Amino acid sequence: MAYTDPSTQPSDMALLRHWTAASFATPETLPFSFVYRGERITGIPSSWNPTQTRHRVDANIVDTVYEGTDPQSGLHVHVGCLSYADYPVLEWVIRLTNTGDTPTPLIEDLRALDAPFNAASPILWHCNGDFY
């Protein structure tokens, strides 16, 4: 059975596929942003030599990892993304790590989601982050 949740409709899956096809096509188009050195950065800039790898977790889950590093400061961006074939959900976590030898320039206004939704009633679940 392709859809296990009776409330999930094929049209829900189609809307998600349409949105993710544009927003998660490449590291540069990822729908997050932050201000870095006074400039708004969206996705992982091509000058950061981004990479994209996919790994099938099981029959219904694909884990995609996008990574890139600012060659000037060593700021490393890692975006882990889980997509589901049987449910209209996409999860992602953004991690910023200073891999350089000096403090990272100021990072401001991090938006884990910086993109429009064109749907009747999308639901956005979020977390305020982890504090270690």
Side-chain angles (χ1 to χ4, degrees), residues 28 30-48 75 77 94 96 106-115:
E28 295 87 356
L30 293 171
F32 74 91
S33 69
F34 57 96
V35 175
Y36 187 58
R37 294 187 188 112
E39 177 185 341
R40 168 89 34 212
I41 303 289
T42 301
I44 303 174
S46 59
S47 62
W48 292 20
L75 177 64
V77 177
I94 303 163
L96 304 177
L106 184 63
I107 299 167
E108 303 175 271
D109 195 24
L110 176 62
R111 297 178 184 176
L113 175 62
D114 192 359

Side-chain angles (χ1 to χ4, degrees), residues 20-21 23-27 30 51-57 61-66 81 83 90:
T20 58
S23 300
F24 288 83
T26 67
L30 293 171
T51 61
Q52 175 180 344
T53 58
R54 284 200 166 103
H55 166 72
R56 181 161 296 283
V57 176
I61 302 173
V62 174
D63 182 18
T64 306
V65 174
Y66 306 88
C81 182
S83 58
L90 182 71

Side-chain angles (χ1 to χ4, degrees), residues 6 12 78 99 124:
D12 297 327
H78 175 269
T99 63
L124 176 64

Side-chain angles (χ1 to χ4, degrees), residues 92 113 117 122-126:
W92 67 94
L113 175 62
F117 279 106
I123 298 173
L124 176 64
W125 292 93
H126 67 91

